[in-house]
Amino acid sequence: MKIYTRTGDEGKTGVIGGRVSKDDIRVEAYGTVDEVNAFVGEAIVRLDPAIHADLLQDLTEIQHELFDAGGDLAQAGKNRRYMVTAEMVTRLEALIDRYEQECPPLERFILPGGSPLSAALHVCRVLTRRAERLVVSLCREQETNVEVRRYLNRLSDFFFTVARVANVRAGMADVEYKRGVRVFHTDEKKDQGTT
């Protein structure tokens, strides 16, 4: 099998159900999901499996789910069979809740950084937000699996949370945005009347 086919030389590409321009919103959406997947791979090679066995397993599963999401977004034909489900979103929520227990209370916005793994996971987060924005546009213009939009929304929250976990496990503090006031308050402080 040859890697190059020359079929895209005129600026068109194949999707499931036809051919579209390479800058079609559908291609932009699944292409950006592919970018996220590549950077998840970058994050994986930065983690120590002895410290992050759970995160390695979860990120590997997410890579498969991102491939599913890209496949869903590539479907432009009438007979669509989607892979991303509401249950996948629920699973991400459970992971976020579990990992969040390792993190100190969040009181300020944080900047991407700290450990190399944390920085890599923040790149995953912002690329996921870009993918989500493109999927929002796609959903407005064409029929597609809306569960992908929900999945990406939750996935960016997951990456934010595990980026913080990476710093905790590395013994590093999050890099707080110092120019602003405290914007997050724990329930305990609210109960004490602290603003």
Side-chain angles (χ1 to χ4, degrees):
M1 172 182 150
K2 288 193 174 187
I3 295 298
Y4 61 90
T5 62
R6 300 188 179 105
T7 58
D9 289 353
E10 301 301 317
K12 299 276 189 182
T13 191
V15 295
I16 301 167
R19 290 187 67 74
V20 297
S21 174
K22 287 188 176 185
D23 63 356
D24 186 273
I25 187 65
R26 183 175 299 281
V27 179
E28 287 286 342
Y30 73 68
T32 306
V33 168
D34 191 35
E35 287 180 46
V36 174
N37 209 341
F39 276 92
V40 173
E42 169 69 16
I44 286 172
V45 300
R46 290 178 179 271
L47 61 77
D48 180 345
I51 298 170
H52 301 290
D54 53 349
L55 188 53
L56 174 59
Q57 180 179 338
D58 294 332
L59 289 175
T60 302
E61 179 65 19
I62 283 166
Q63 283 197 297
H64 290 278
E65 291 174 348
L66 284 167
F67 209 90
D68 293 340
D72 285 1
L73 296 173
Q75 295 188 49
K78 296 202 181 285
N79 299 319
R80 295 176 172 92
R81 294 183 57 195
Y82 294 138
M83 300 282 289
V84 177
T85 64
E87 289 75 24
M88 292 162 70
V89 176
T90 302
R91 187 185 68 82
L92 279 178
E93 290 172 349
L95 290 174
I96 292 166
D97 292 343
R98 191 186 82 215
Y99 280 115
E100 195 172 32
Q101 293 175 10
E102 292 186 48
C103 300
L106 187 63
E107 295 186 347
R108 295 180 184 272
F109 289 116
I110 63 170
L111 304 177
S115 69
L117 176 57
S118 179
L121 290 164
H122 276 294
V123 172
C124 295
R125 173 183 62 81
V126 298
L127 286 176
T128 301
R129 284 290 185 207
R130 186 193 324 158
E132 180 190 7
R133 291 191 299 271
L134 289 165
V135 172
V136 167
S137 297
L138 175 61
C139 288
R140 199 167 37 241
E141 295 178 17
Q142 303 176 35
E143 184 181 337
T144 195
N145 183 3
V146 295
E147 290 301 333
V148 173
R149 184 181 62 206
R150 293 181 64 235
Y151 177 84
L152 293 172
N153 186 19
R154 214 65 82 249
L155 184 61
S156 63
D157 295 334
F158 170 84
F159 286 135
F160 177 81
T161 304
V162 295
R164 297 191 70 218
V165 168
N167 280 340
V168 168
R169 292 181 183 181
M172 303 180 80
D174 287 323
V175 181
E176 290 187 336
Y177 173 61
K178 300 286 187 186
R179 297 182 193 269
V181 297
R182 278 186 22 228
V183 291
F184 304 106
H185 307 282
T186 62
D187 291 335
E188 179 182 309
K189 290 181 180 176
K190 284 182 184 176
D191 293 341
Q192 295 171 359
T194 304
T195 58

